[in-house]
Amino acid sequence: MKIGENDVNIFKVRNRRGYAAVCKDCLTEGDTKEEAYERMVKAIRRVERKILNKD
């Protein structure tokens, strides 16, 4: 999956019941692949907003 130009890696977490997503030094977790992806979209938006506000 992708968010813009960035690749998102989603995988099943061992010893836990859900999935995790990793992208651009962010890690999110969710009960389903879709939930982990949606949380990652929010996290990436948050990080990009912080970077833009610093300038």
Side-chain angles (χ1 to χ4, degrees), residues 10-27:
I10 299 176
F11 55 93
K12 177 81 171 111
V13 181
R14 284 188 186 178
N15 299 327
R16 296 200 186 199
R17 68 178 188 192
Y19 292 85
V22 178
C23 178
K24 287 183 72 174
D25 296 331
C26 293
L27 171 72

Side-chain angles (χ1 to χ4, degrees), residues 3-55:
I3 298 175
E5 298 176 353
N6 305 310
D7 287 325
V8 178
N9 297 324
I10 299 176
F11 55 93
K12 177 81 171 111
V13 181
R14 284 188 186 178
N15 299 327
R16 296 200 186 199
R17 68 178 188 192
Y19 292 85
V22 178
C23 178
K24 287 183 72 174
D25 296 331
C26 293
L27 171 72
T28 60
E29 294 182 7
D31 289 335
T32 64
K33 290 179 181 181
E34 293 80 18
E35 183 179 11
Y37 178 78
E38 289 299 321
R39 289 181 179 191
M40 180 56 69
V41 170
K42 289 170 112 177
I44 295 296
R45 268 195 228 131
R46 215 175 296 124
V47 169
E48 289 178 349
R49 208 174 329 135
K50 284 184 181 180
I51 291 170
L52 289 176
N53 287 336
K54 282 186 179 180
D55 294 337

